[in-house]
Amino acid sequence: ILYRVNAQSLNFENEFVHRDIPYRIVGSLRFYEREEIKDALALLSFMANPRDEIAFRRVINKPARGLGAVTINRILLEAFQNDGNIQSAAERVTPELRSKARSGVQSFLQAIDAGRKTLSENPETRASQLAEEARPSDAILIAGEQLSACVVTLVLQANIAAYHIANDAWGAQARIANLQELANMASLYPATGAGLMEFLERIELDRQSAQRNDDTDDRVTLITLHNTKGLEFKRVVITGVEQGIFPRGDKNFEEQEEERRLFYVGATRAMDELYLTSCANRQLYGLTHFMEPSQFLYEIDPSAIRILGTVPPYFIKRRKEFRDEK
Protein backbone atom coordinates (compact mmCIF):
# COMPACT_ATOMS: atom_id res chain seq x y z
CA ILE A 1 0.00 0.00 0.00
CA LEU A 2 1.53 3.27 -1.17
CA TYR A 3 0.61 6.74 0.10
CA ARG A 4 1.78 10.30 -0.36
CA VAL A 5 2.75 11.13 3.26
CA ASN A 6 3.59 9.03 6.32
CA ALA A 7 0.62 10.33 8.29
CA GLN A 8 -1.71 8.36 5.99
CA SER A 9 -0.48 5.09 7.48
CA LEU A 10 -2.54 5.54 10.67
CA ASN A 11 -5.91 4.40 9.31
CA PHE A 12 -4.37 1.32 7.72
CA GLU A 13 -2.42 0.44 10.85
CA ASN A 14 -5.57 0.67 12.96
CA GLU A 15 -7.65 -1.34 10.50
CA PHE A 16 -5.04 -4.07 10.14
CA VAL A 17 -4.72 -4.39 13.91
CA HIS A 18 -8.48 -4.77 14.32
CA ARG A 19 -8.62 -7.37 11.53
CA ASP A 20 -5.51 -9.15 12.82
CA ILE A 21 -3.63 -8.57 9.54
CA PRO A 22 0.16 -8.45 9.96
CA TYR A 23 1.91 -5.45 8.39
CA ARG A 24 5.25 -3.73 8.18
CA ILE A 25 6.18 -0.11 7.53
CA VAL A 26 9.15 0.59 5.26
CA GLY A 27 11.25 3.70 5.77
CA SER A 28 9.46 4.88 8.90
CA LEU A 29 8.35 3.94 12.38
CA ARG A 30 4.85 2.80 13.16
CA PHE A 31 2.58 5.75 13.71
CA TYR A 32 2.35 5.47 17.49
CA GLU A 33 6.12 4.97 17.80
CA ARG A 34 6.99 8.30 16.13
CA GLU A 35 8.59 10.75 18.54
CA GLU A 36 6.11 13.59 18.11
CA ILE A 37 3.15 11.23 18.55
CA LYS A 38 4.64 9.75 21.72
CA ASP A 39 5.13 13.30 23.03
CA ALA A 40 1.51 14.26 22.27
CA LEU A 41 0.19 11.06 23.83
CA ALA A 42 2.31 11.66 26.94
CA LEU A 43 0.71 15.10 27.31
CA LEU A 44 -2.76 13.60 26.92
CA SER A 45 -1.96 10.78 29.35
CA PHE A 46 -0.70 13.19 31.99
CA MET A 47 -3.73 15.41 31.54
CA ALA A 48 -5.99 12.38 31.99
CA ASN A 49 -3.97 11.01 34.90
CA PRO A 50 -1.78 13.55 36.76
CA ARG A 51 -0.20 10.63 38.65
CA ASP A 52 1.48 9.30 35.48
CA GLU A 53 5.19 9.70 36.26
CA ILE A 54 6.41 8.25 32.95
CA ALA A 55 4.36 10.73 30.92
CA PHE A 56 5.42 13.59 33.19
CA ARG A 57 9.12 12.82 32.84
CA ARG A 58 8.83 12.64 29.05
CA VAL A 59 7.28 16.06 28.49
CA ILE A 60 7.97 18.27 31.52
CA ASN A 61 11.23 19.51 30.02
CA LYS A 62 10.41 19.13 26.32
CA PRO A 63 11.00 21.68 24.98
CA ALA A 64 13.59 22.80 27.54
CA ARG A 65 11.95 24.74 30.36
CA GLY A 66 15.00 25.31 32.52
CA LEU A 67 14.32 22.33 34.78
CA GLY A 68 17.11 20.12 36.02
CA ALA A 69 16.90 16.62 37.48
CA VAL A 70 16.92 18.04 41.02
CA THR A 71 13.82 20.16 40.40
CA ILE A 72 11.94 17.34 38.67
CA ASN A 73 12.77 14.89 41.46
CA ARG A 74 11.72 17.47 44.03
CA ILE A 75 8.27 17.72 42.42
CA LEU A 76 7.96 13.93 42.26
CA LEU A 77 9.02 13.53 45.90
CA GLU A 78 6.39 16.08 46.92
CA ALA A 79 3.79 14.04 45.05
CA PHE A 80 4.84 10.69 46.50
CA GLN A 81 4.81 12.05 50.04
CA ASN A 82 1.22 13.19 49.61
CA ASP A 83 -1.56 11.91 47.37
CA GLY A 84 0.54 11.04 44.30
CA ASN A 85 -0.89 13.87 42.21
CA ILE A 86 2.12 15.27 40.34
CA GLN A 87 0.30 18.31 38.99
CA SER A 88 -0.83 19.36 42.47
CA ALA A 89 2.67 18.78 43.78
CA ALA A 90 4.13 20.94 41.01
CA GLU A 91 1.70 23.72 41.89
CA ARG A 92 2.82 23.60 45.53
CA VAL A 93 6.55 23.49 44.73
CA THR A 94 6.54 26.14 41.99
CA PRO A 95 6.59 29.26 44.24
CA GLU A 96 9.80 28.00 45.86
CA LEU A 97 11.70 27.56 42.58
CA ARG A 98 14.12 29.93 40.91
CA SER A 99 12.69 32.29 38.33
CA LYS A 100 13.51 30.30 35.17
CA ALA A 101 12.38 26.96 36.58
CA ARG A 102 9.27 28.55 38.08
CA SER A 103 8.34 30.03 34.72
CA GLY A 104 8.95 26.69 32.99
CA VAL A 105 6.73 24.72 35.35
CA GLN A 106 4.01 27.34 35.16
CA SER A 107 3.96 27.25 31.35
CA PHE A 108 3.66 23.46 31.42
CA LEU A 109 0.82 23.52 33.95
CA GLN A 110 -0.97 26.22 31.95
CA ALA A 111 -0.82 24.00 28.86
CA ILE A 112 -2.31 21.07 30.77
CA ASP A 113 -5.07 23.28 32.19
CA ALA A 114 -5.82 24.69 28.73
CA GLY A 115 -6.21 21.19 27.34
CA ARG A 116 -8.40 20.11 30.23
CA LYS A 117 -10.56 23.18 29.78
CA THR A 118 -11.51 22.09 26.25
CA LEU A 119 -13.25 19.07 27.78
CA SER A 120 -15.79 21.33 29.48
CA GLU A 121 -16.29 23.93 26.75
CA ASN A 122 -18.53 23.78 23.72
CA PRO A 123 -16.21 21.81 21.37
CA GLU A 124 -17.44 23.50 18.19
CA THR A 125 -16.89 26.97 19.63
CA ARG A 126 -13.44 26.06 20.92
CA ALA A 127 -12.47 24.39 17.64
CA SER A 128 -13.41 27.48 15.66
CA GLN A 129 -11.47 29.71 18.05
CA LEU A 130 -8.37 27.52 17.88
CA ALA A 131 -8.47 27.41 14.11
CA GLU A 132 -8.53 31.19 13.94
CA GLU A 133 -5.73 31.44 16.49
CA ALA A 134 -3.51 29.04 14.58
CA ARG A 135 -3.88 30.43 11.05
CA PRO A 136 -2.50 34.00 11.31
CA SER A 137 0.70 33.18 13.17
CA ASP A 138 1.85 29.78 11.99
CA ALA A 139 -0.98 27.70 10.49
CA ILE A 140 0.63 24.69 12.19
CA LEU A 141 -2.42 22.70 13.25
CA ILE A 142 -6.15 23.13 12.90
CA ALA A 143 -8.64 21.87 15.45
CA GLY A 144 -11.85 20.20 14.37
CA GLU A 145 -14.73 18.37 15.95
CA GLN A 146 -15.02 16.82 19.40
CA LEU A 147 -11.77 15.72 21.09
CA SER A 148 -9.49 17.08 18.34
CA ALA A 149 -9.65 20.56 19.94
CA CYS A 150 -8.08 19.10 23.08
CA VAL A 151 -5.22 17.49 21.14
CA VAL A 152 -4.49 20.66 19.18
CA THR A 153 -4.67 22.83 22.29
CA LEU A 154 -2.19 20.69 24.19
CA VAL A 155 0.28 20.37 21.32
CA LEU A 156 0.25 24.10 20.62
CA GLN A 157 0.17 25.34 24.22
CA ALA A 158 2.92 22.93 25.35
CA ASN A 159 5.03 23.95 22.32
CA ILE A 160 5.57 20.36 21.18
CA ALA A 161 4.79 21.29 17.58
CA ALA A 162 7.17 24.26 17.71
CA TYR A 163 9.84 22.04 19.31
CA HIS A 164 9.79 19.53 16.47
CA ILE A 165 9.79 22.26 13.83
CA ALA A 166 12.85 23.86 15.42
CA ASN A 167 14.73 20.59 15.89
CA ASP A 168 13.95 18.89 12.59
CA ALA A 169 13.64 21.46 9.82
CA TRP A 170 13.92 18.76 7.13
CA GLY A 171 11.19 16.53 8.55
CA ALA A 172 9.05 19.19 10.23
CA GLN A 173 6.25 19.00 7.68
CA ALA A 174 5.90 15.25 8.11
CA ARG A 175 5.90 15.54 11.90
CA ILE A 176 3.19 18.21 11.84
CA ALA A 177 1.17 16.07 9.43
CA ASN A 178 1.41 13.21 11.92
CA LEU A 179 0.19 15.42 14.76
CA GLN A 180 -2.66 16.64 12.59
CA GLU A 181 -3.61 13.03 11.82
CA LEU A 182 -3.68 12.26 15.55
CA ALA A 183 -6.06 15.20 16.00
CA ASN A 184 -8.16 13.91 13.11
CA MET A 185 -8.45 10.55 14.84
CA ALA A 186 -9.42 12.26 18.10
CA SER A 187 -12.33 13.96 16.33
CA LEU A 188 -14.13 10.60 16.43
CA TYR A 189 -14.33 10.76 20.25
CA PRO A 190 -16.43 13.04 22.47
CA ALA A 191 -14.73 16.01 24.12
CA THR A 192 -15.19 14.63 27.63
CA GLY A 193 -12.99 13.01 30.23
CA ALA A 194 -14.54 9.65 29.38
CA GLY A 195 -13.95 10.29 25.68
CA LEU A 196 -10.28 11.05 26.34
CA MET A 197 -9.85 7.83 28.35
CA GLU A 198 -11.55 5.80 25.60
CA PHE A 199 -9.24 7.40 23.02
CA LEU A 200 -6.09 6.59 25.01
CA GLU A 201 -7.23 3.05 25.82
CA ARG A 202 -7.97 2.35 22.15
CA ILE A 203 -4.49 3.54 21.16
CA GLU A 204 -2.83 1.38 23.82
CA LEU A 205 -4.74 -1.70 22.66
CA ASP A 206 -3.76 -0.99 19.06
CA ARG A 207 -0.09 -0.61 20.02
CA GLN A 208 -0.06 -3.90 21.90
CA SER A 209 -1.87 -5.75 19.12
CA ALA A 210 0.53 -4.43 16.48
CA GLN A 211 3.54 -5.70 18.42
CA ARG A 212 2.08 -9.22 18.51
CA ASN A 213 2.15 -9.37 14.69
CA ASP A 214 5.91 -8.87 14.39
CA ASP A 215 6.79 -12.58 14.17
CA THR A 216 5.62 -13.30 10.60
CA ASP A 217 7.18 -12.44 7.24
CA ASP A 218 3.82 -12.66 5.46
CA ARG A 219 2.76 -9.05 5.94
CA VAL A 220 1.22 -6.14 4.09
CA THR A 221 3.83 -3.51 3.24
CA LEU A 222 3.00 0.12 4.01
CA ILE A 223 5.32 2.60 2.31
CA THR A 224 5.39 6.18 1.07
CA LEU A 225 5.69 6.76 -2.67
CA HIS A 226 9.06 8.45 -2.14
CA ASN A 227 10.49 5.23 -0.67
CA THR A 228 9.38 2.88 -3.45
CA LYS A 229 12.16 3.54 -5.97
CA GLY A 230 13.73 0.25 -7.06
CA LEU A 231 11.03 -1.88 -5.41
CA GLU A 232 8.37 -4.03 -7.07
CA PHE A 233 5.31 -5.81 -5.73
CA LYS A 234 2.83 -8.20 -7.32
CA ARG A 235 -0.09 -6.08 -6.13
CA VAL A 236 0.05 -2.36 -5.41
CA VAL A 237 -2.59 -0.06 -3.95
CA ILE A 238 -1.98 3.68 -4.27
CA THR A 239 -4.31 5.28 -1.78
CA GLY A 240 -5.59 8.82 -1.31
CA VAL A 241 -5.61 9.64 -5.03
CA GLU A 242 -7.68 12.75 -4.43
CA GLN A 243 -7.31 16.39 -5.35
CA GLY A 244 -5.60 18.17 -2.47
CA ILE A 245 -3.98 14.95 -1.22
CA PHE A 246 -2.20 13.66 -4.33
CA PRO A 247 -1.42 16.07 -5.83
CA ARG A 248 -1.43 18.62 -3.05
CA GLY A 249 -3.59 21.65 -3.76
CA ASP A 250 -0.85 24.20 -3.07
CA LYS A 251 1.58 23.11 -5.80
CA ASN A 252 2.80 25.29 -8.68
CA PHE A 253 3.27 23.93 -12.22
CA GLU A 254 6.76 22.53 -11.69
CA GLU A 255 5.75 20.92 -8.40
CA GLN A 256 2.66 19.45 -10.08
CA GLU A 257 4.95 17.85 -12.66
CA GLU A 258 7.04 16.35 -9.85
CA GLU A 259 3.86 14.99 -8.26
CA ARG A 260 2.87 13.48 -11.62
CA ARG A 261 6.30 11.84 -11.92
CA LEU A 262 5.89 10.45 -8.40
CA PHE A 263 2.50 9.04 -9.34
CA TYR A 264 4.12 7.33 -12.35
CA VAL A 265 6.85 5.87 -10.15
CA GLY A 266 4.24 4.45 -7.79
CA ALA A 267 2.11 3.01 -10.60
CA THR A 268 5.09 1.24 -12.16
CA ARG A 269 5.90 -0.54 -8.89
CA ALA A 270 3.04 -2.96 -9.67
CA MET A 271 4.06 -6.21 -11.41
CA ASP A 272 0.57 -7.73 -11.85
CA GLU A 273 -2.19 -5.60 -10.36
CA LEU A 274 -2.54 -1.87 -9.60
CA TYR A 275 -5.39 -0.38 -7.57
CA LEU A 276 -5.95 3.38 -7.28
CA THR A 277 -8.29 4.42 -4.49
CA SER A 278 -10.16 7.70 -4.06
CA CYS A 279 -12.65 8.26 -1.25
CA ALA A 280 -15.80 10.38 -1.39
CA ASN A 281 -15.12 12.03 1.98
CA ARG A 282 -12.22 12.19 4.38
CA GLN A 283 -11.38 13.49 7.86
CA LEU A 284 -9.11 16.52 7.40
CA TYR A 285 -8.25 18.94 10.20
CA GLY A 286 -10.72 17.11 12.42
CA LEU A 287 -13.63 17.79 10.04
CA THR A 288 -15.33 15.72 7.34
CA HIS A 289 -14.56 17.01 3.84
CA PHE A 290 -16.02 15.91 0.52
CA MET A 291 -13.22 14.95 -1.83
CA GLU A 292 -12.74 15.15 -5.60
CA PRO A 293 -10.80 12.41 -7.41
CA SER A 294 -7.28 13.43 -8.40
CA GLN A 295 -6.64 15.02 -11.77
CA PHE A 296 -4.18 12.18 -12.34
CA LEU A 297 -7.14 9.82 -12.67
CA TYR A 298 -8.62 11.99 -15.40
CA GLU A 299 -5.39 11.69 -17.37
CA ILE A 300 -5.48 7.90 -17.63
CA ASP A 301 -6.85 6.39 -20.83
CA PRO A 302 -10.30 5.03 -19.86
CA SER A 303 -9.62 1.81 -21.77
CA ALA A 304 -6.68 1.08 -19.48
CA ILE A 305 -8.66 0.90 -16.25
CA ARG A 306 -11.68 -0.81 -14.73
CA ILE A 307 -13.67 1.24 -12.23
CA LEU A 308 -14.87 -0.58 -9.10
CA GLY A 309 -17.57 0.69 -6.76
CA THR A 310 -19.86 3.66 -7.17
CA VAL A 311 -18.61 6.24 -9.64
CA PRO A 312 -19.49 9.85 -8.73
CA PRO A 313 -21.32 11.54 -11.65
CA TYR A 314 -18.96 14.54 -11.54
CA PHE A 315 -16.00 12.18 -12.05
CA ILE A 316 -17.34 10.98 -15.39
CA LYS A 317 -18.24 14.55 -16.41
CA ARG A 318 -14.91 16.03 -15.24
CA ARG A 319 -12.87 13.31 -16.95
CA LYS A 320 -14.64 14.04 -20.25
CA GLU A 321 -14.04 17.79 -19.81
CA PHE A 322 -10.36 17.17 -19.04
CA ARG A 323 -9.84 15.04 -22.14
CA ASP A 324 -11.69 17.60 -24.29
CA GLU A 325 -9.35 20.29 -22.96
CA LYS A 326 -6.38 18.20 -23.99
Side-chain angles (χ1 to χ4, degrees), residues 9-70:
S9 74
L10 175 59
N11 287 332
F12 292 101
E13 292 186 57
N14 288 340
E15 192 66 24
F16 290 161
V17 165
H18 301 153
R19 293 174 181 264
D20 200 28
I21 299 174
Y23 69 92
R24 64 172 181 148
I25 294 183
V26 176
S28 177
L29 296 170
R30 285 182 169 139
F31 186 85
Y32 295 125
E33 299 307 315
R34 296 166 192 170
E35 182 185 3
E36 63 279 7
I37 298 302
K38 292 170 78 171
D39 291 342
L41 291 176
L43 285 167
L44 290 165
S45 296
F46 184 75
M47 191 185 80
N49 175 21
R51 292 175 172 79
D52 189 335
E53 179 186 350
I54 295 176
F56 175 76
R57 284 187 179 276
R58 181 177 183 91
V59 292
I60 181 58
N61 211 24
K62 190 176 187 179
R65 295 186 173 90
L67 306 176
V70 173

Side-chain angles (χ1 to χ4, degrees), residues 132-320:
E132 291 304 316
E133 289 175 355
R135 284 194 192 100
S137 59
D138 45 35
I140 295 176
L141 295 167
I142 298 176
E145 300 167 331
Q146 304 206 85
L147 191 62
S148 72
C150 177
V151 175
V152 171
T153 298
L154 267 180
V155 170
L156 292 179
Q157 295 287 337
N159 290 319
I160 286 298
Y163 168 83
H164 286 291
I165 289 174
N167 285 272
D168 185 9
W170 181 260
Q173 186 175 2
R175 291 180 184 271
I176 296 305
N178 288 333
L179 290 169
Q180 184 68 66
E181 193 62 25
L182 183 69
N184 292 344
M185 180 184 175
S187 69
L188 303 176
Y189 295 81
T192 62
L196 174 59
M197 292 304 300
E198 182 184 359
F199 177 60
L200 292 173
E201 288 169 5
R202 174 67 175 272
I203 289 174
E204 185 56 33
L205 287 173
D206 287 351
R207 290 169 72 173
Q208 293 176 7
S209 297
Q211 290 171 357
R212 289 198 294 270
N213 284 330
D214 282 345
D215 297 331
T216 177
D217 291 329
D218 185 16
R219 293 183 273 179
V220 177
T221 297
L222 296 172
I223 185 171
T224 64
L225 285 147
H226 281 105
N227 285 326
T228 59
K229 187 175 181 181
L231 301 177
E232 288 186 323
F233 306 92
K234 290 185 177 181
R235 280 170 293 277
V236 165
V237 178
I238 301 180
T239 186
V241 190
E242 299 140 34
Q243 204 64 18
I245 300 294
F246 192 26
R248 290 270 301 274
D250 58 353
K251 301 294 185 182
N252 59 35
F253 177 78
E254 290 184 359
E255 291 171 329
Q256 288 271 5
E257 286 300 304
E258 177 62 20
E259 293 275 290
R260 185 175 285 104
R261 186 197 67 79
L262 189 59
F263 180 78
Y264 175 81
V265 169
T268 54
R269 299 309 90 195
M271 300 167 63
D272 299 329
E273 299 174 42
L274 172 65
Y275 297 85
L276 309 171
T277 70
S278 178
C279 64
N281 55 70
R282 175 184 293 275
Q283 287 289 118
L284 291 172
Y285 311 118
L287 299 170
T288 301
H289 292 256
F290 293 102
M291 306 301 293
E292 178 186 349
S294 170
Q295 67 186 64
F296 296 155
L297 297 179
Y298 305 143
E299 299 171 6
I300 300 174
D301 185 339
S303 65
I305 60 174
R306 179 162 61 98
I307 299 177
L308 305 177
T310 303
V311 184
Y314 64 79
F315 173 64
I316 299 175
K317 179 176 181 294
R318 180 69 184 93
R319 185 169 64 177
K320 182 179 183 303

Side-chain angles (χ1 to χ4, degrees), residues 67-87:
L67 306 176
V70 173
T71 300
I72 293 172
N73 289 333
R74 181 179 176 184
I75 293 172
L76 291 173
L77 180 61
E78 173 70 18
F80 299 153
Q81 290 178 340
N82 291 279
D83 59 358
N85 188 311
I86 300 172
Q87 182 171 359

